[in-house]
Amino acid sequence: MAVPAVVTVSAAKTVENRNPLFDDPFFRRFFGPNFGGPQSQLQRSLGSGVIVDAGGLVVTNYHVIEGADEVKVSLADKREFEAVLVLKDQRSDLAVLRIKDTHERFPTLEFANSDALEVGDVVLAVGNPFGVGQTVTHGIVSALARTQVGITDYQFFIQTDAAINPGNSGGALVDVQGRLIGINTAILSRTGGFQGVGLAVPANLVSQVTEGIVKNGKVVRGYLGVSTQDLTATLADSMELKSRRGALVSDVRPNSPAAKAGLKNGDVITAVNGKSVDDSTRLSLAVSAIAPGEKIDLDVIREGK
């Protein structure tokens, strides 16, 4: 079962509140220089997380623990533990925590291959919406590879209609076998509540981050050294291309792997190691998942050939 491996993440940070009127010289003249000084207030946020290593490694969203001074993890059986931040990766909106001072072995979720998902697959979202307690909702994969949503640098999301609400962030999106296929991250809504469009970071990207932590103590990503853009219909027509599939190279950085390999401005990259690249986001994800130093094969269209 997936439920025991999904936790509630409570983050607390101290913020200072100060009335801007007390910065006015008129007020300071009558009330003294120390009147209305900043007052500290403890601000709490609540989200969810997933245990991905039996030693107590927990994945959640970066925005759940952003700026936190204290983080606690509550298990499904109501036990609570302090946690330390191991990694924060704002580019993917992921963070990794480790449960403190325990030799216990925790239940975990097995990673599924999120690249094998298909639209229409049944999925379950597990988390703690609105702090009411652990909740499971049910839906399908509505779309794959959502890229134009403006949430993270690595915009490549699974879209689902399984109900996701505030507090679900960082929780698990699982398949019918109970395997982790994504980390629930955001909703698209005009009201602030769920309106049928939930987004999750794919498990393969999550796995890349967690494996980097276990093996290297940090996230390690491949680097190609190009700036790219998507092909519009106008660009494709002007270059006499038969399709808009691929990433158009707009800049090659000097002395980069791309420059040494002979890539040029105007090239269109259509595949990495035989795997199709439909746009610049997919190219960025494909390259980031490759270990530095590894050789790769690129399919490139240059001057129509």
Side-chain angles (χ1 to χ4, degrees), residues 27-224:
F27 276 85
R28 295 176 69 84
R29 176 183 176 188
F30 284 95
F31 296 107
N34 297 320
F35 187 78
Q39 297 180 342
S40 296
Q41 180 181 358
L42 194 64
Q43 193 175 81
R44 296 186 181 275
S45 63
L46 202 64
S48 302
V50 180
I51 304 174
V52 295
D53 180 83
L57 213 60
V58 178
V59 175
T60 185
N61 284 135
Y62 169 80
H63 72 260
V64 170
I65 54 83
E66 183 179 4
D69 301 313
E70 177 186 85
V71 179
K72 292 184 178 181
V73 169
S74 300
L75 305 187
D77 61 11
K78 307 300 183 184
R79 288 183 298 156
E80 188 176 83
F81 297 89
E82 290 188 4
V84 292
L85 180 64
V86 178
L87 169 96
K88 52 184 180 181
D89 186 30
Q90 189 172 2
R91 299 184 70 185
S92 61
D93 195 18
L94 293 174
V96 180
L97 311 172
R98 187 178 293 280
I99 297 174
K100 284 179 64 177
D101 303 327
T102 178
H103 299 291
E104 184 174 344
R105 304 298 288 176
F106 296 95
T108 65
L109 280 186
E110 175 190 352
F111 282 99
N113 178 12
S114 55
D115 287 344
L117 281 176
E118 295 183 3
V119 173
D121 284 352
V122 175
V123 293
L124 304 171
V126 188
N128 186 358
F130 301 111
V132 299
Q134 197 166 86
T135 302
V136 179
T137 56
H138 158 271
I140 63 169
V141 173
S142 305
L144 296 167
R146 282 290 185 233
T147 58
Q148 304 299 321
V149 291
I151 297 173
T152 68
D153 287 352
Y154 291 110
Q155 298 184 53
F156 195 79
F157 295 97
I158 300 165
Q159 181 183 327
T160 179
D161 66 350
I164 296 172
N165 283 292
N168 274 109
S169 290
L173 189 68
V174 300
D175 61 16
V176 290
Q177 283 81 39
R179 299 174 302 176
L180 184 69
I181 60 172
I183 295 293
N184 299 321
T185 297
I187 58 175
L188 298 184
S189 172
R190 294 178 178 174
T191 65
F194 181 69
Q195 290 187 298
V197 183
L199 300 169
V201 177
N204 288 4
L205 181 56
V206 178
S207 176
Q208 176 192 339
V209 171
T210 56
E211 285 181 7
I213 289 297
V214 173
K215 293 179 180 178
N216 307 301
K218 60 183 179 180
V219 180
V220 178
R221 293 189 171 103
Y223 168 73
L224 189 58

